[in-house]
Amino acid sequence: MSQISVAIAGAGLSGLCLAHSLLRAGFDVQVYESDPEPFARRQGYRVTLDEYGMAGLQKCLPPRLFELFLATTSPTDEDSYFRVTNQDLGEVFKLTFKGDRSGTDLRTPRQTDRQTLRTIMLEGLQDRIHYGKKAVRADTAADGATLHFSDGSYTHASLVIGADGVNSALRKQLLPDCDPEDANSWGIYGRTPLLHNGQSIVPAPLKTSGVYAIGKAGKGFFFTTMNFREAPQAAFSRFGAEQLPPISDDYVMWALLLPKELFPVSQEKLDSEILHRFALETALDFHPVLRRFVNLADTDCTMLVKLKAARKPSSWPVSRITLMGDAVHVMPPTGSHGGNTALRDAALLAEKLKAAVSRGKPLEEAIASYQTEMSQYAFREVEAAKAMLKRFSIHNPFMSWVMLRAMPWIRSLKNKPLTTTE
């Protein structure tokens, strides 16, 4: 397998996950990242991992790094919930996820900090990641493919993997008719320290919940808490990691979602400070608890996300170049399946490649099988995420009254308010 070289465009979660798996199997792996350094820009905060995402990590990462990942996820000893409420935190419905006191059941969803997970996956790959290398195209040849970069340089490999995100240049080349469609919603993401004056800013009934509050005019407010099972500094030290954890304290991740036409100016002018001011204005429509998250936020951690949804290719030619993650199946965050699907891709592609090489089969056979299988599960998730986003945007007046007035009132007759401090 050492004779098989793999060039991965993109050092995000899926690219790094794949790199670990192939490197452990003996492939010659190099990763090329367009950013000038590992954390040149923010790419999100808390990520919810389900059984597919965790299975992908377990299959691909060295055991020590997988255990470090588990140590820095959220605790699982209590039940957790996903709640949908009105803008005043009146509950419409909730989904319950049973806790796992042992912390060993990998079917139990858990939260992880995106930057912390990415730092863990950089471990052991430092000399194989090349920064400031923006992929612009790839050319196929009889013995592989050549990946070209914006600085005029290039590299040749047996395989080229496009894990270069939603604006993937390789997708535009391979699947020119599959540019993602605009979901017509933009998000403002933010991060707020969990403790203020020594007290949690999240009401006790919501400490293990993810909450989506449906507002007026297509607006929505999501938040959840990122609690670390073990302090990242202690965990990184205990596992002998060379990297330093990028964050140390628990926090609240929040997001305001609203139709893009409600934004006051063009995207180019929306820096963190302007975005935060706009978030403060928009949050005035929501419960004081939610407004407080925005008021106490780290202003420079405020970021803009334009929601997009991938188009499924009607045909996908098989070659020595393929795609994974957001490069091929970007989806709205509703449902929290984007990151999980990307990690699932990494495990599947690694499995197909290793099996083909061990049996002496052509690499194209592995690529064909991967593309077929991945397309089946990935685009189901894209459609589910689109449908959930649509359901959260209620336009029918009667349904709006039922969902956001009648149902919360009925539930309040038998349940304590979610904002109680008890």
Side-chain angles (χ1 to χ4, degrees):
M1 292 188 184
S2 61
Q3 297 178 8
I4 306 297
S5 56
V6 181
I8 301 173
L13 298 185
S14 62
L16 296 177
C17 193
L18 176 66
H20 273 291
S21 183
L22 295 182
L23 188 61
R24 293 175 67 202
F27 288 72
D28 178 14
V29 183
Q30 302 292 329
V31 182
Y32 301 89
E33 169 58 45
S34 61
D35 287 345
E37 55 188 30
F39 301 109
R41 60 189 170 92
R42 294 184 173 88
Q43 301 177 39
Y45 299 110
R46 185 271 323 147
V47 179
T48 298
L49 291 187
D50 61 20
E51 58 184 301
Y52 294 110
M54 284 185 284
L57 287 174
Q58 187 179 36
K59 291 175 182 177
C60 294
L61 296 186
R64 178 179 69 95
L65 295 186
F66 184 70
E67 290 300 319
L68 175 54
F69 152 73
L70 290 179
T72 55
T73 59
S74 58
T76 58
D77 52 337
E78 296 183 70
D79 291 351
S80 59
Y81 308 92
F82 176 69
R83 304 176 190 267
V84 174
T85 74
N86 62 18
Q87 63 191 32
D88 297 315
L89 289 181
E91 189 171 89
V92 178
F93 69 86
K94 71 176 178 181
L95 300 176
T96 302
F97 303 93
K98 299 301 293 181
D100 169 36
R101 291 187 178 277
S102 70
T104 60
D105 188 347
L106 299 183
R107 296 169 299 178
T108 304
R110 61 197 73 196
Q111 318 282 351
T112 186
D113 175 66
R114 186 187 184 94
Q115 284 186 298
T116 300
L117 175 57
R118 189 160 179 249
T119 303
I120 291 170
M121 291 203 288
L122 291 173
E123 189 81 4
L125 297 177
Q126 294 94 320
D127 60 344
R128 294 181 176 270
I129 303 177
H130 311 276
Y131 295 99
K133 293 292 184 180
K134 179 177 176 59
V136 293
R137 77 176 196 277
D139 302 323
T140 58
D143 62 342
T146 301
L147 180 61
H148 296 265
F149 305 104
S150 59
D151 62 4
S153 62
Y154 59 88
T155 187
H156 185 79
S158 307
L159 286 171
V160 168
I161 312 297
D164 47 341
V166 60
N167 297 312
S168 170
L170 299 185
R171 182 200 63 246
K172 292 176 183 178
Q173 176 187 343
L174 293 178
L175 304 171
D177 298 326
C178 290
D179 274 357
E181 57 188 19
D182 194 335
N184 296 314
S185 291
W186 288 6
I188 305 173
Y189 286 18
R191 189 179 74 191
T192 307
L194 178 61
L195 298 182
H196 181 69
N197 294 331
Q199 300 294 319
S200 172
I201 61 174
V202 176
L206 297 176
K207 69 175 184 176
T208 60
S209 292
V211 176
Y212 189 88
I214 302 175
K216 299 176 181 177
K219 300 175 184 176
F221 194 116
F222 172 80
F223 81 89
T224 190
T225 304
M226 180 62 230
N227 287 299
F228 292 99
R229 179 189 302 272
E230 182 178 347
Q233 298 96 322
F236 274 56
S237 175
R238 182 163 65 87
F239 282 92
E242 295 181 12
Q243 309 295 307
L244 295 175
I247 190 167
S248 56
D249 299 320
D250 298 342
Y251 63 86
V252 175
M253 178 267 176
W254 54 266
L256 276 158
L257 300 181
L258 54 158
K260 66 178 184 180
E261 61 267 20
L262 296 182
F263 280 77
V265 292
S266 65
Q267 177 193 0
E268 289 74 19
K269 298 179 181 179
L270 293 176
D271 60 21
S272 294
E273 187 174 343
I274 293 175
L275 278 171
H276 185 253
R277 287 203 302 267
F278 182 55
L280 287 171
E281 296 171 7
T282 307
L284 292 175
D285 293 339
F286 292 88
H287 191 279
V289 166
L290 306 183
R291 297 203 298 267
R292 193 169 186 231
F293 296 154
V294 183
N295 288 334
L296 299 176
D298 295 326
T299 300
D300 62 352
C301 291
T302 312
M303 58 183 287
L304 176 69
V305 177
K306 299 175 70 174
L307 275 58
K308 293 182 178 293
R311 293 184 172 94
K312 185 176 182 178
S314 56
S315 63
W316 189 348
V318 175
S319 71
R320 291 291 185 95
I321 310 167
T322 192
L323 305 167
M324 61 190 299
D326 283 355
V328 63
H329 54 62
V330 66
M331 63 190 79
T334 39
S336 299
H337 295 301
N340 289 291
T341 308
L343 295 173
R344 188 176 181 181
D345 294 350
L348 176 65
L349 180 53
E351 174 188 312
K352 298 292 186 183
L353 291 174
K354 288 184 284 188
V357 174
S358 66
R359 297 198 308 266
K361 300 293 184 179
L363 295 177
E364 287 84 355
E365 182 177 303
I367 297 299
S369 179
Y370 159 74
Q371 290 179 177
T372 299
E373 190 171 332
M374 180 268 280
S375 294
Q376 292 174 350
Y377 65 72
F379 287 95
R380 282 199 303 266
E381 300 294 2
V382 172
E383 292 305 314
K386 288 168 57 179
M388 184 176 291
L389 181 64
K390 186 176 181 179
R391 285 197 295 271
F392 286 160
S393 303
I394 305 173
H395 299 290
N396 182 290
F398 175 72
M399 287 303 299
S400 178
W401 177 82
V402 170
M403 286 281 288
L404 304 182
R405 295 294 178 187
M407 290 181 65
W409 177 75
I410 293 171
R411 292 183 67 86
S412 71
L413 297 178
K414 59 179 181 179
N415 297 321
K416 292 182 180 180
L418 297 177
T419 54
T420 181
T421 56
E422 296 178 10

